[in-house]
Amino acid sequence: MLREYDLTGKVAIVTGASKGIGKGIALTLAEAGANIAAADIDSDGLKGLAGEIKKLGRKCLAITTDVTDEAQVRNMVEEATSKLGQIDILVNNAGKGNRRVVVPLDEQNIKPITDEDWESVMNLNVKGILHCVRAVGPQMIARRKGKIVIIISAVAVASFDYNSLYCISKAAAARFVQTLAREWAPYNINVNGIGPSWTMTEAAQMMLQYKGEEYVKKEMARMPLGRAAQPREIGLLAVYLSSEASDMVTGQNIFIDGGLTGAV
């Protein structure tokens, strides 16, 4: 391995780590040498992940955490620090979306966005990031060193139909990357975003199977490379942004989307 990519001895927190992109990132960071504090509301999923990471010869601390609850996030960071050591890397991955319209449309049988929908999505996708960086930031600032990766989405710049709330939340997350990077640059803390498009997680596979072959063809045709990503591919970019190799990179939202946003 190139020395600059080696994460041996580093400690990484990954939120939303029990499955999908978060799991792919956690496993790939562990392959690169990092010990992992895996956070998620899915405690059973975390147990499975912890077993896989330990097989790689790394430590994994599974901490059931709801990132919308600031007290739980503080406790998670304290536990991770006390049991694994100082936090070198924070990957904010926890997030969700919902298929909603702004107002009812006659031709679409899709529910309109409610205030509860808004609060639920924005609390997880935006406020959850705030809780995590606020909990980890002080120790990184004190050491004048750290890597923060925020998982945004291609929808931050390439909107999908009937997903306006999700798109808005991810656009906010992308802007969070840029503003936090400027604020914390004097402390040698790198803050960058990763924007995936279709990624073959369990949830995506179920959706594509439900929608049918024609829908899959249509969605893949939107992407110049003609295929979806694999979670490990997102993880490989996360390794770069978490390593010394990216020390000169900050405030960037990098889209790993088969050319989708480049073709907008």
Side-chain angles (χ1 to χ4, degrees), residues 38-256:
D40 203 299
I41 59 173
D42 178 6
S43 55
D44 290 336
L46 289 178
K47 290 177 184 177
L49 171 66
E52 292 185 55
I53 289 176
K54 288 174 183 177
K55 288 179 182 178
L56 295 171
R58 313 301 176 198
K59 297 177 182 178
C60 183
L61 182 64
I63 311 175
T64 305
T65 309
D66 179 354
V67 298
T68 68
D69 184 328
E70 188 166 20
Q72 289 190 40
V73 172
R74 286 197 303 266
N75 291 338
M76 178 266 291
V77 172
E78 290 173 3
E79 183 177 353
T81 304
S82 66
K83 294 183 178 179
L84 295 177
Q86 64 185 18
I87 309 304
D88 303 288
I89 302 157
L90 168 64
V91 179
N92 295 278
N93 169 72
K96 69 176 181 179
N98 58 11
R99 188 171 168 81
R100 295 287 190 270
V101 292
V102 175
V103 297
L105 301 172
D106 292 339
E107 67 274 20
Q108 297 292 337
N109 185 26
I110 303 173
K111 295 179 180 180
I113 297 169
T114 65
D115 287 354
E116 290 75 18
D117 291 330
W118 179 276
E119 291 173 4
S120 177
V121 172
M122 296 299 283
N123 279 348
L124 180 56
N125 293 5
V126 184
K127 190 183 286 186
I129 298 170
L130 174 65
H131 290 164
C132 291
V133 298
R134 196 153 57 186
V136 172
Q139 59 174 280
M140 290 185 172
I141 289 169
R143 295 198 317 273
R144 285 179 151 24
K145 190 171 186 180
K147 299 281 187 173
I148 295 175
V149 178
I150 296 174
I151 305 305
I152 55 168
S153 168
V155 303
V157 295
S159 298
F160 285 7
D161 293 342
Y162 317 123
N163 276 284
S164 58
L165 178 51
Y166 182 62
C167 296
I168 291 165
S169 71
K170 289 301 184 178
R175 196 63 172 154
F176 204 154
V177 167
Q178 296 168 323
T179 55
L180 190 65
R182 290 189 66 86
E183 286 184 18
W184 289 5
Y187 303 97
N188 199 33
I189 298 170
N190 301 74
V191 185
N192 292 289
I194 296 177
S197 180
W198 279 108
T199 304
M200 278 303 160
T201 62
E202 301 92 329
Q205 289 174 356
M206 289 176 61
M207 178 184 293
L208 292 173
Q209 289 172 4
Y210 173 77
K211 291 286 187 178
E213 185 176 346
E214 289 305 313
Y215 178 81
V216 174
K217 288 181 179 178
K218 178 183 175 182
E219 288 301 309
M220 294 306 108
R222 298 178 64 191
M223 305 169 70
L225 287 181
R227 70 171 180 87
Q230 295 297 323
R232 178 176 167 78
E233 293 179 295
I234 314 303
L236 291 169
L237 180 53
V239 168
Y240 168 69
L241 293 176
S242 301
S243 72
E244 292 181 5
S246 64
D247 280 355
M248 194 58 182
V249 181
T250 198
Q252 303 301 308
N253 288 306
I254 303 172
F255 295 96
I256 180 165

